[in-house]
Structures are given as structure tokens and as C-alpha cells.
Amino acid sequence: MAISTLTMSWSVMSSALFLPVCSPSPLQNLHCRRHAARCSDRRLMAAIIDLTLTSVQTLMQVVGDRVSGLLDFEFCSFDFRAMELAVALSKYVGEDDPLVLCERFVTGYVQHGQLTAAEIKALPDLINLRIFSNAIYFTGRAIAGEDSLESLTSRAPAYARRVKWVNANRDAIQSAIEAKMAAVATA
């Protein structure tokens, strides 16, 4: 994905961020209300989020340096709203020069999405949580016979590198988000 696309993608995507994109059943609504109560106890805001908002899960039409369209119909859930940013950043932390990629994505994100201090502080842990959930996902696929265990074991070294990078760069991730948010607030 081109860097200009990366920067702009969140700006366009986030305008529909909090629209209900699925129609939960009454049981799911009850679960969402209970989950919201637990989320508020932790000082992290909750919302319906896209759990696959990454460049490999979306189809975008780029016109010039702007994203003019976006499609992603997979996996939405009621969760910490900062988890949506964590999902996107979890893919970039596995790339070359991950901090630059994270900063560029956050540049677009802060055009429409702001995080609280508690959310910024939690973001490195949420990124790691997303990485761990991927490991659990592939373990479950192997247990269910939908995939071989090799699907997990082939990814395990990359997951370990991502977690180590996030832990080593926790302050840089938080500072980058704070700086990008401050720049938008003063503009």
C-alpha cells in the first residue's frame, strides 16, 4: 500500500466509524450492554468496531492521494473503541520501519478519531492483545480441523517479533499518538 494511501485511509474510513454495521440479536444486545458496563469500569470507551480493519482485509479505491471508497464486510464487534486502531497497527508492527508506518496511519486516524489518555496508555497492550488473539484463532482452527497446526507454528516467530517490538517501543507508540492528536487540536 502506498504511504499516501496509508495516511489517508483512516481519514476516510473513520467517518462511518460508529455507525451500526450489523443488526445484533436481542441476546447480542444484552451482551453488548453488559460488556459496555465492564468497559466503562476500566475507563476505556466501547463502540461497535471493525476487527479486521487492515490493508489486507479491505478493498480501497485510490484516486490521486485520497481513498475514495472502502469495502470490508467481515468481523465487527462491540469492543474497546481503541481496539480498532490496535488491530490496524498490529499489522504494521510486523513490517520494516514499523514506527513510521504507525505514525502515518495515526496521522489519518486523528483527523476523525481521538483517544483518551487512558486509551493511549492502553494501546500497546491492546496491540499485543490483538497479536495474541491471532495465535488463539489459528489454534482454534487447528483444533477444529479447519487448518493444520502449521498455520500457527509458521506464524509464531513473527508474532513473537511483533510483541517484542511493541514492548520495546511502548513509549514511542504512545508519544506518536499524543503528538499527532496535539497537532490536530492546535490546527
Side-chain angles (χ1 to χ4, degrees):
M1 172 181 288
I3 295 304
S4 59
T5 304
L6 178 65
T7 302
M8 298 305 300
S9 61
W10 180 262
S11 179
V12 174
M13 291 185 282
S14 66
S15 60
L17 176 64
F18 297 110
L19 296 178
V21 292
C22 56
S23 299
S25 70
L27 182 59
Q28 288 169 320
N29 279 331
L30 176 62
H31 172 73
C32 287
R33 285 194 301 275
R34 288 181 180 161
H35 186 67
R38 288 192 303 272
C39 290
S40 65
D41 290 344
R42 295 184 185 97
R43 298 179 2 190
L44 296 179
M45 296 176 71
I48 295 174
I49 66 165
D50 184 336
L51 291 172
T52 60
L53 192 59
T54 65
S55 60
V56 298
Q57 291 288 337
T58 55
L59 172 65
M60 292 181 274
Q61 179 180 5
V62 180
V63 177
D65 67 346
R66 301 198 50 93
V67 175
S68 65
L70 171 76
L71 292 174
D72 185 3
F73 298 104
E74 194 177 28
F75 299 124
C76 72
S77 178
F78 192 78
D79 206 333
F80 299 125
R81 71 176 184 158
M83 193 64 178
E84 190 163 56
L85 179 59
V87 166
L89 297 183
S90 74
K91 295 297 182 185
Y92 299 126
V93 300
E95 300 294 328
D96 293 335
D97 209 3
L99 189 57
V100 170
L101 295 175
C102 290
E103 288 173 339
R104 289 181 176 160
F105 190 86
V106 170
T107 297
Y109 175 88
V110 299
Q111 299 302 311
H112 296 281
Q114 295 288 303
L115 298 178
T116 66
E119 289 171 320
I120 294 170
K121 182 177 180 183
L123 201 60
D125 293 327
L126 294 176
I127 294 169
N128 282 339
L129 179 61
R130 175 56 178 195
I131 295 165
F132 297 143
S133 74
N134 286 343
I136 293 167
Y137 172 79
F138 284 105
T139 301
R141 285 184 56 86
I143 291 170
E146 296 174 2
D147 220 334
S148 71
L149 193 55
E150 198 269 333
S151 291
L152 170 63
T153 58
S154 66
R155 290 171 171 85
Y159 291 157
R161 282 191 302 275
R162 288 181 187 175
V163 169
K164 286 178 184 177
W165 186 89
V166 169
N167 289 341
N169 292 278
R170 171 179 299 275
D171 293 339
I173 295 167
Q174 293 165 335
S175 295
I177 295 167
E178 289 167 346
K180 300 294 182 182
M181 285 179 45
V184 168
T186 59

